[in-house]
Amino acid sequence: SYYGTGIKNLVDKAVIAYGNKHKIKEVMLDCDKDNLGSAKTMQALGGKLTKEYYDENVKCLLQQYVIDVNESVEKYKNFYLHV
């Protein structure tokens, strides 16, 4: 299991780097409401909670966050210089 290893943090930053490269203004990411680490990662990247909903496919309550790509890149510019 990769739980607690920080993989989600790297994946989220990679998604934002991709969005920045392709001039995407916002990215939308979801996580299991019970996964506090993922929620904190998205919030640290500037994510704003836009909704919570039950997903029948994964059988859990999900939280949806929207992240402004430019704001996140500016906040973590030292990281993105190396991506």
Coordinates of all heavy atoms in Angstrom, one line a residue:
S1 N 0.8 -1.2 0.0 CA 0.0 0.0 0.0 C 0.9 1.3 0.0 O 1.9 1.3 0.6 CB -0.9 0.0 1.2 OG -1.5 1.2 1.4
Y2 N 0.4 2.3 -0.7 CA 1.2 3.5 -0.7 C 0.6 4.6 0.2 O 1.0 5.7 0.2 CB 1.1 4.1 -2.2 CG 1.9 3.3 -3.1 CD1 1.3 2.4 -4.0 CD2 3.3 3.3 -3.1 CE1 2.0 1.6 -4.9 CE2 4.0 2.5 -4.0 CZ 3.4 1.7 -4.9 OH 4.1 0.9 -5.7
Y3 N -0.4 4.2 1.1 CA -1.0 5.1 2.0 C 0.0 5.7 2.9 O 0.8 5.0 3.5 CB -2.1 4.3 2.8 CG -3.0 5.2 3.6 CD1 -4.0 5.9 3.1 CD2 -2.7 5.4 5.0 CE1 -4.8 6.7 3.8 CE2 -3.5 6.2 5.7 CZ -4.6 6.9 5.2 OH -5.3 7.7 5.9
G4 N 0.0 7.0 3.0 CA 0.9 7.8 3.9 C 2.3 8.0 3.3 O 3.1 8.5 4.1
T5 N 2.5 7.7 2.1 CA 3.8 7.9 1.5 C 4.0 9.3 0.8 O 5.1 9.6 0.4 CB 4.1 6.8 0.5 OG1 3.2 6.9 -0.6 CG2 4.1 5.4 1.1
G6 N 3.0 10.0 0.6 CA 3.1 11.3 -0.1 C 2.9 11.2 -1.6 O 3.1 12.2 -2.3
I7 N 2.5 10.1 -2.1 CA 2.3 9.9 -3.5 C 1.3 10.9 -4.0 O 1.4 11.5 -5.1 CB 2.0 8.4 -3.8 CG1 3.1 7.5 -3.5 CG2 1.5 8.3 -5.3 CD1 4.3 7.6 -4.4
K8 N 0.2 11.0 -3.3 CA -0.9 11.9 -3.7 C -0.4 13.3 -3.9 O -0.8 14.0 -4.8 CB -2.0 11.9 -2.6 CG -3.1 12.8 -2.8 CD -4.1 12.4 -3.9 CE -5.3 13.3 -3.9 NZ -5.7 13.7 -5.2
N9 N 0.5 13.8 -3.0 CA 1.0 15.1 -3.1 C 1.8 15.3 -4.4 O 1.6 16.3 -5.1 CB 2.0 15.4 -1.9 CG 2.5 16.8 -1.8 OD1 2.2 17.6 -2.6 ND2 3.2 17.0 -0.7
L10 N 2.6 14.3 -4.7 CA 3.4 14.4 -6.0 C 2.5 14.4 -7.2 O 2.7 15.1 -8.2 CB 4.4 13.3 -6.1 CG 5.6 13.4 -5.1 CD1 6.4 12.2 -5.1 CD2 6.4 14.6 -5.4
V11 N 1.5 13.5 -7.1 CA 0.5 13.4 -8.3 C -0.2 14.7 -8.5 O -0.4 15.2 -9.6 CB -0.5 12.2 -8.1 CG1 -1.6 12.2 -9.1 CG2 0.3 10.9 -8.1
D12 N -0.7 15.3 -7.4 CA -1.5 16.5 -7.5 C -0.6 17.6 -8.1 O -1.0 18.4 -8.9 CB -2.0 16.9 -6.1 CG -3.2 16.1 -5.7 OD1 -3.7 15.2 -6.5 OD2 -3.6 16.2 -4.5
K13 N 0.7 17.7 -7.6 CA 1.6 18.7 -8.1 C 1.9 18.5 -9.6 O 2.0 19.4 -10.4 CB 2.8 18.8 -7.3 CG 2.6 19.5 -6.0 CD 3.9 19.5 -5.2 CE 3.7 20.3 -3.9 NZ 4.9 20.3 -3.0
A14 N 2.0 17.2 -10.0 CA 2.2 16.9 -11.4 C 1.0 17.3 -12.3 O 1.2 17.8 -13.4 CB 2.5 15.4 -11.6
V15 N -0.2 17.1 -11.7 CA -1.4 17.5 -12.5 C -1.4 19.0 -12.6 O -1.7 19.5 -13.7 CB -2.7 17.1 -11.7 CG1 -3.9 17.7 -12.2 CG2 -2.8 15.5 -11.8
I16 N -1.0 19.7 -11.6 CA -1.0 21.2 -11.7 C 0.1 21.7 -12.7 O -0.1 22.6 -13.5 CB -0.8 21.8 -10.3 CG1 -2.1 21.6 -9.5 CG2 -0.5 23.3 -10.4 CD1 -2.0 21.9 -8.1
A17 N 1.3 21.0 -12.6 CA 2.3 21.3 -13.6 C 1.9 21.1 -15.0 O 2.1 21.9 -15.9 CB 3.6 20.5 -13.3
Y18 N 1.2 20.0 -15.2 CA 0.6 19.7 -16.6 C -0.4 20.8 -17.0 O -0.3 21.3 -18.1 CB -0.1 18.3 -16.6 CG -0.7 18.0 -17.9 CD1 0.0 17.3 -18.9 CD2 -2.1 18.3 -18.1 CE1 -0.6 17.0 -20.1 CE2 -2.6 18.0 -19.3 CZ -1.9 17.3 -20.3 OH -2.5 17.0 -21.5
G19 N -1.2 21.2 -16.1 CA -2.2 22.2 -16.3 C -1.5 23.5 -16.7 O -1.9 24.2 -17.6
N20 N -0.5 23.9 -16.0 CA 0.2 25.1 -16.2 C 0.9 25.0 -17.6 O 0.8 26.0 -18.4 CB 1.3 25.3 -15.1 CG 2.0 26.6 -15.3 OD1 1.4 27.7 -15.3 ND2 3.3 26.6 -15.3
K21 N 1.5 23.9 -17.9 CA 2.2 23.8 -19.2 C 1.2 23.9 -20.4 O 1.5 24.5 -21.4 CB 2.9 22.4 -19.3 CG 3.6 22.2 -20.6 CD 4.2 20.8 -20.6 CE 4.9 20.5 -21.9 NZ 5.6 19.2 -21.9
H22 N 0.0 23.5 -20.2 CA -1.0 23.5 -21.3 C -2.1 24.6 -21.1 O -3.1 24.6 -21.7 CB -1.7 22.1 -21.3 CG -0.8 21.0 -21.7 ND1 -0.4 20.8 -23.1 CD2 -0.1 20.1 -21.0 CE1 0.4 19.8 -23.1 NE2 0.6 19.4 -21.9
K23 N -1.7 25.6 -20.3 CA -2.5 26.9 -20.1 C -3.9 26.6 -19.6 O -4.8 27.3 -19.9 CB -2.6 27.6 -21.4 CG -1.2 27.9 -22.1 CD -0.4 28.9 -21.3 CE 0.8 29.2 -22.1 NZ 2.1 29.1 -21.4
I24 N -4.0 25.6 -18.7 CA -5.3 25.3 -18.1 C -5.4 26.1 -16.8 O -4.5 26.2 -16.1 CB -5.4 23.7 -17.8 CG1 -5.4 22.9 -19.1 CG2 -6.6 23.4 -16.9 CD1 -5.2 21.4 -18.8
K25 N -6.5 26.8 -16.7 CA -6.7 27.7 -15.6 C -7.0 27.1 -14.2 O -6.6 27.5 -13.2 CB -7.7 28.8 -15.9 CG -7.3 29.7 -17.1 CD -8.4 30.7 -17.4 CE -8.2 31.3 -18.7 NZ -7.6 32.6 -18.6
E26 N -7.8 26.0 -14.3 CA -8.3 25.3 -13.1 C -8.2 23.8 -13.3 O -8.4 23.4 -14.4 CB -9.7 25.7 -12.7 CG -9.9 27.1 -12.3 CD -11.4 27.4 -11.9 OE1 -12.3 26.7 -12.4 OE2 -11.6 28.3 -11.0
V27 N -7.9 23.1 -12.2 CA -8.0 21.7 -12.2 C -9.0 21.3 -11.1 O -9.2 22.0 -10.1 CB -6.7 20.9 -12.0 CG1 -5.8 21.2 -13.1 CG2 -6.0 21.3 -10.7
M28 N -9.7 20.2 -11.3 CA -10.7 19.7 -10.4 C -10.2 18.3 -9.9 O -10.0 17.4 -10.8 CB -12.1 19.6 -11.1 CG -13.2 19.3 -10.1 SD -14.8 19.1 -11.0 CE -14.8 20.6 -12.0
L29 N -10.1 18.1 -8.6 CA -9.6 16.9 -8.1 C -10.6 16.4 -7.0 O -11.2 17.2 -6.3 CB -8.2 17.0 -7.5 CG -7.1 17.5 -8.4 CD1 -5.9 17.9 -7.7 CD2 -6.8 16.4 -9.4
D30 N -10.8 15.1 -6.9 CA -11.7 14.5 -5.9 C -10.9 13.6 -4.9 O -9.8 13.1 -5.3 CB -12.7 13.6 -6.5 CG -13.6 14.3 -7.5 OD1 -13.4 15.4 -7.8 OD2 -14.6 13.6 -7.9
C31 N -11.4 13.5 -3.7 CA -10.8 12.5 -2.8 C -11.9 12.0 -1.9 O -13.0 12.6 -1.7 CB -9.7 13.1 -2.0 SG -10.2 14.4 -0.8
D32 N -11.7 10.8 -1.3 CA -12.5 10.2 -0.3 C -12.6 11.2 0.9 O -11.5 11.6 1.4 CB -12.0 8.9 0.1 CG -12.8 8.1 1.1 OD1 -13.5 8.7 1.9 OD2 -12.8 6.9 1.0
K33 N -13.8 11.5 1.4 CA -13.9 12.4 2.5 C -13.1 11.9 3.7 O -12.6 12.7 4.5 CB -15.4 12.6 2.8 CG -15.6 13.6 4.0 CD -17.0 13.9 4.3 CE -17.1 14.9 5.4 NZ -18.4 15.4 5.6
D34 N -13.0 10.6 3.9 CA -12.3 10.1 5.0 C -10.8 10.1 4.9 O -10.1 9.9 5.8 CB -12.7 8.6 5.3 CG -14.2 8.5 5.7 OD1 -14.7 9.5 6.3 OD2 -14.8 7.5 5.5
N35 N -10.3 10.5 3.7 CA -8.8 10.5 3.5 C -8.4 12.0 3.8 O -8.2 12.8 2.9 CB -8.5 10.1 2.0 CG -7.0 10.0 1.8 OD1 -6.2 10.6 2.5 ND2 -6.7 9.2 0.8
L36 N -8.1 12.2 5.0 CA -7.7 13.6 5.5 C -6.4 14.0 4.9 O -6.3 15.2 4.6 CB -7.7 13.6 7.0 CG -9.0 13.3 7.7 CD1 -8.8 13.4 9.2 CD2 -10.1 14.2 7.3
G37 N -5.5 13.1 4.6 CA -4.2 13.5 4.0 C -4.4 14.1 2.6 O -3.8 15.1 2.3
S38 N -5.3 13.4 1.8 CA -5.5 13.9 0.5 C -6.2 15.3 0.5 O -5.9 16.2 -0.3 CB -6.4 12.9 -0.3 OG -5.6 11.8 -0.6
A39 N -7.2 15.4 1.4 CA -7.9 16.7 1.5 C -6.9 17.8 1.9 O -7.0 18.9 1.3 CB -9.0 16.6 2.5
K40 N -6.1 17.5 2.9 CA -5.1 18.6 3.3 C -4.1 18.9 2.2 O -3.7 20.1 2.0 CB -4.3 18.1 4.5 CG -5.2 18.1 5.8 CD -4.4 17.6 7.0 CE -5.2 17.6 8.2 NZ -4.4 17.2 9.4
T41 N -3.7 17.9 1.4 CA -2.9 18.2 0.2 C -3.5 19.1 -0.7 O -2.9 20.1 -1.2 CB -2.5 16.9 -0.5 OG1 -1.7 16.1 0.4 CG2 -1.7 17.2 -1.7
M42 N -4.8 18.9 -1.1 CA -5.5 19.7 -2.0 C -5.7 21.1 -1.5 O -5.6 22.1 -2.2 CB -6.8 19.0 -2.5 CG -6.5 17.8 -3.4 SD -8.0 17.2 -4.1 CE -8.3 15.8 -3.0
Q43 N -6.0 21.2 -0.2 CA -6.2 22.5 0.4 C -4.8 23.3 0.4 O -4.8 24.5 0.2 CB -6.7 22.4 1.9 CG -8.1 21.8 1.9 CD -8.5 21.3 3.2 OE1 -7.8 21.4 4.2 NE2 -9.7 20.7 3.3
A44 N -3.7 22.6 0.7 CA -2.4 23.2 0.7 C -2.1 23.8 -0.7 O -1.3 24.8 -0.8 CB -1.3 22.3 1.2
L45 N -2.5 23.1 -1.7 CA -2.3 23.5 -3.1 C -3.2 24.6 -3.5 O -3.2 25.1 -4.6 CB -2.4 22.3 -4.0 CG -1.3 21.3 -3.9 CD1 -1.6 20.1 -4.7 CD2 0.0 21.8 -4.3
G46 N -4.1 25.1 -2.6 CA -5.0 26.2 -2.9 C -6.4 25.7 -3.2 O -7.2 26.5 -3.7
G47 N -6.7 24.4 -3.1 CA -8.0 23.8 -3.4 C -9.1 24.4 -2.6 O -9.0 24.6 -1.4
K48 N -10.2 24.7 -3.3 CA -11.4 25.1 -2.6 C -12.4 24.0 -2.8 O -12.7 23.5 -3.9 CB -12.0 26.4 -3.3 CG -11.0 27.5 -3.5 CD -10.8 28.3 -2.3 CE -10.0 29.6 -2.5 NZ -8.6 29.5 -2.4
L49 N -13.0 23.6 -1.6 CA -14.0 22.6 -1.7 C -15.3 23.1 -2.4 O -15.8 24.1 -2.0 CB -14.4 22.2 -0.2 CG -15.4 21.1 0.0 CD1 -15.0 19.8 -0.7 CD2 -15.7 20.9 1.4
T50 N -15.7 22.4 -3.4 CA -16.8 22.9 -4.2 C -18.1 22.0 -4.0 O -19.2 22.5 -4.1 CB -16.5 22.9 -5.7 OG1 -16.1 21.6 -6.1 CG2 -15.5 23.9 -6.0
K51 N -17.9 20.7 -3.6 CA -19.1 19.9 -3.3 C -18.6 18.6 -2.7 O -17.5 18.2 -2.8 CB -19.9 19.7 -4.5 CG -19.4 18.7 -5.6 CD -20.4 18.5 -6.7 CE -19.9 17.6 -7.7 NZ -20.9 17.3 -8.8
E52 N -19.6 18.0 -2.0 CA -19.4 16.6 -1.5 C -20.6 15.8 -2.1 O -21.7 16.3 -2.3 CB -19.6 16.6 0.0 CG -18.4 17.2 0.7 CD -18.5 17.0 2.2 OE1 -19.5 16.5 2.7 OE2 -17.6 17.4 2.9
Y53 N -20.2 14.6 -2.5 CA -21.3 13.7 -3.2 C -20.9 12.3 -2.9 O -19.8 11.9 -2.7 CB -21.4 14.1 -4.6 CG -20.1 13.8 -5.4 CD1 -19.9 12.6 -6.1 CD2 -19.1 14.7 -5.5 CE1 -18.8 12.4 -6.9 CE2 -17.9 14.5 -6.2 CZ -17.8 13.3 -6.9 OH -16.6 13.0 -7.6
Y54 N -21.9 11.5 -3.0 CA -21.7 10.0 -2.8 C -21.5 9.4 -4.2 O -22.3 9.7 -5.1 CB -23.0 9.4 -2.2 CG -22.7 7.9 -1.9 CD1 -22.0 7.5 -0.8 CD2 -23.3 6.9 -2.7 CE1 -21.7 6.1 -0.6 CE2 -23.0 5.6 -2.5 CZ -22.3 5.2 -1.4 OH -22.0 3.9 -1.2
D55 N -20.5 8.7 -4.4 CA -20.2 8.0 -5.7 C -20.5 6.6 -5.6 O -19.9 5.8 -4.8 CB -18.7 8.2 -6.1 CG -18.4 7.7 -7.5 OD1 -18.9 6.7 -7.9 OD2 -17.6 8.4 -8.2
E56 N -21.5 6.1 -6.3 CA -22.0 4.8 -6.3 C -20.9 3.8 -6.8 O -20.8 2.7 -6.3 CB -23.2 4.6 -7.1 CG -24.0 3.3 -6.9 CD -24.5 3.1 -5.5 OE1 -25.0 4.0 -4.9 OE2 -24.3 1.9 -5.0
N57 N -20.0 4.2 -7.7 CA -19.0 3.4 -8.2 C -18.0 3.0 -7.2 O -17.5 1.8 -7.2 CB -18.3 4.0 -9.4 CG -19.2 4.2 -10.6 OD1 -20.0 3.4 -10.9 ND2 -19.1 5.3 -11.3
V58 N -17.6 3.9 -6.4 CA -16.6 3.6 -5.3 C -17.2 3.4 -4.0 O -16.4 3.1 -3.0 CB -15.4 4.6 -5.3 CG1 -14.6 4.6 -6.6 CG2 -16.0 6.0 -5.1
K59 N -18.5 3.6 -3.9 CA -19.2 3.4 -2.6 C -18.7 4.2 -1.5 O -18.5 3.7 -0.4 CB -19.2 1.9 -2.2 CG -19.7 1.0 -3.3 CD -21.2 0.8 -3.3 CE -21.6 -0.3 -4.2 NZ -22.2 0.2 -5.4
C60 N -18.5 5.5 -1.7 CA -18.0 6.4 -0.6 C -18.4 7.8 -0.9 O -18.7 8.2 -2.0 CB -16.5 6.2 -0.3 SG -15.5 6.9 -1.6
L61 N -18.3 8.6 0.1 CA -18.6 10.1 0.0 C -17.3 10.7 -0.4 O -16.2 10.5 0.1 CB -19.0 10.6 1.4 CG -19.5 12.0 1.4 CD1 -20.7 12.2 0.6 CD2 -19.8 12.4 2.9
L62 N -17.4 11.5 -1.5 CA -16.2 12.2 -2.1 C -16.3 13.7 -1.9 O -17.4 14.2 -1.8 CB -16.1 11.9 -3.6 CG -15.9 10.4 -4.0 CD1 -15.9 10.3 -5.5 CD2 -14.6 9.9 -3.4
Q63 N -15.2 14.3 -1.9 CA -15.1 15.8 -1.8 C -14.4 16.2 -3.1 O -13.4 15.6 -3.6 CB -14.2 16.2 -0.7 CG -14.9 16.0 0.7 CD -14.0 16.5 1.8 OE1 -12.8 16.4 1.8 NE2 -14.7 17.1 2.8
Q64 N -15.0 17.2 -3.7 CA -14.4 17.8 -5.0 C -13.8 19.1 -4.7 O -14.4 20.0 -4.1 CB -15.6 17.9 -6.0 CG -15.1 18.5 -7.3 CD -16.3 18.6 -8.2 OE1 -17.0 19.6 -8.2 NE2 -16.5 17.6 -9.1
Y65 N -12.6 19.3 -5.1 CA -11.8 20.6 -5.0 C -11.5 21.1 -6.3 O -11.2 20.4 -7.3 CB -10.5 20.3 -4.2 CG -10.7 20.0 -2.7 CD1 -11.0 18.7 -2.3 CD2 -10.7 21.0 -1.8 CE1 -11.2 18.4 -1.0 CE2 -10.8 20.7 -0.4 CZ -11.1 19.4 0.0 OH -11.3 19.1 1.3
V66 N -11.5 22.5 -6.4 CA -11.0 23.2 -7.6 C -9.8 24.0 -7.2 O -9.8 24.6 -6.1 CB -12.1 24.1 -8.1 CG1 -11.6 25.0 -9.3 CG2 -13.3 23.3 -8.6
I67 N -8.7 23.8 -8.0 CA -7.5 24.5 -7.7 C -7.1 25.4 -8.8 O -7.1 25.0 -10.0 CB -6.3 23.5 -7.5 CG1 -6.7 22.5 -6.4 CG2 -5.0 24.2 -7.3 CD1 -5.7 21.3 -6.2
D68 N -6.9 26.7 -8.5 CA -6.4 27.7 -9.5 C -5.0 27.4 -9.8 O -4.1 27.4 -8.9 CB -6.6 29.1 -8.9 CG -6.1 30.2 -9.9 OD1 -4.9 30.2 -10.2 OD2 -7.0 31.0 -10.3
V69 N -4.7 27.0 -11.0 CA -3.4 26.5 -11.4 C -2.3 27.6 -11.2 O -1.2 27.4 -10.7 CB -3.4 26.0 -12.9 CG1 -2.0 25.7 -13.4 CG2 -4.2 24.8 -13.0
N70 N -2.6 28.8 -11.7 CA -1.6 29.9 -11.6 C -1.3 30.2 -10.1 O -0.1 30.4 -9.8 CB -2.1 31.2 -12.3 CG -2.1 31.0 -13.8 OD1 -1.3 30.3 -14.3 ND2 -3.1 31.7 -14.4
E71 N -2.3 30.3 -9.2 CA -2.0 30.5 -7.8 C -1.2 29.4 -7.2 O -0.2 29.7 -6.4 CB -3.3 30.6 -7.0 CG -4.1 31.9 -7.3 CD -5.4 32.0 -6.5 OE1 -5.6 31.2 -5.6 OE2 -6.2 32.8 -6.9
S72 N -1.5 28.2 -7.5 CA -0.7 27.1 -7.0 C 0.7 27.1 -7.5 O 1.7 26.8 -6.7 CB -1.4 25.7 -7.3 OG -0.7 24.7 -6.6
V73 N 0.9 27.3 -8.7 CA 2.3 27.4 -9.3 C 3.1 28.5 -8.6 O 4.2 28.3 -8.3 CB 2.2 27.6 -10.8 CG1 3.6 27.9 -11.4 CG2 1.7 26.3 -11.5
E74 N 2.4 29.7 -8.4 CA 3.1 30.8 -7.8 C 3.5 30.4 -6.3 O 4.6 30.7 -5.9 CB 2.2 32.0 -7.8 CG 2.9 33.2 -7.2 CD 4.2 33.7 -7.8 OE1 4.3 33.5 -9.0 OE2 5.0 34.3 -7.1
K75 N 2.6 29.7 -5.6 CA 2.9 29.4 -4.2 C 4.0 28.4 -4.1 O 4.8 28.4 -3.2 CB 1.6 28.8 -3.6 CG 1.7 28.4 -2.2 CD 0.4 28.0 -1.6 CE 0.5 27.7 -0.1 NZ -0.8 27.2 0.4
Y76 N 4.1 27.4 -5.1 CA 5.1 26.4 -5.0 C 6.1 26.5 -6.2 O 6.6 25.5 -6.7 CB 4.4 25.0 -5.1 CG 3.6 24.7 -3.8 CD1 2.3 24.9 -3.8 CD2 4.3 24.3 -2.7 CE1 1.6 24.6 -2.6 CE2 3.6 24.0 -1.5 CZ 2.3 24.2 -1.5 OH 1.6 24.0 -0.3
K77 N 6.4 27.7 -6.6 CA 7.3 27.9 -7.8 C 8.6 27.2 -7.6 O 9.2 26.7 -8.7 CB 7.4 29.4 -8.1 CG 8.1 30.2 -7.0 CD 8.1 31.7 -7.4 CE 8.2 32.5 -6.2 NZ 7.8 33.9 -6.4
N78 N 9.2 27.1 -6.5 CA 10.5 26.3 -6.3 C 10.3 24.9 -6.7 O 11.2 24.3 -7.3 CB 11.0 26.5 -4.9 CG 11.5 27.9 -4.6 OD1 11.9 28.6 -5.5 ND2 11.4 28.3 -3.3
F79 N 9.2 24.3 -6.4 CA 8.9 22.9 -6.8 C 8.8 22.8 -8.3 O 9.4 22.0 -9.0 CB 7.7 22.3 -6.1 CG 7.3 21.0 -6.6 CD1 7.9 19.8 -6.1 CD2 6.3 20.8 -7.6 CE1 7.6 18.6 -6.6 CE2 6.0 19.6 -8.1 CZ 6.6 18.5 -7.6
Y80 N 8.0 23.7 -8.9 CA 7.7 23.6 -10.3 C 8.8 24.0 -11.2 O 8.9 23.6 -12.4 CB 6.4 24.5 -10.6 CG 5.2 23.9 -10.0 CD1 4.5 24.6 -9.0 CD2 4.7 22.7 -10.4 CE1 3.4 24.1 -8.4 CE2 3.6 22.1 -9.8 CZ 2.9 22.9 -8.8 OH 1.8 22.3 -8.2
L81 N 9.8 24.6 -10.7 CA 11.0 24.9 -11.5 C 11.8 23.6 -11.8 O 12.5 23.6 -12.8 CB 11.9 25.9 -10.7 CG 11.5 27.3 -10.6 CD1 12.4 28.1 -9.7 CD2 11.3 28.0 -11.9
H82 N 11.6 22.6 -11.0 CA 12.3 21.3 -11.2 C 11.4 20.2 -11.8 O 11.9 19.1 -12.0 CB 12.8 20.8 -9.8 CG 13.6 21.9 -9.1 ND1 14.9 22.2 -9.6 CD2 13.4 22.6 -8.0 CE1 15.4 23.1 -8.8 NE2 14.5 23.4 -7.9
V83 N 10.2 20.6 -12.3 CA 9.3 19.6 -12.9 C 9.5 19.6 -14.4 O 9.6 20.6 -15.0 CB 7.9 19.8 -12.5 CG1 7.0 18.9 -13.2 CG2 7.7 19.7 -11.0

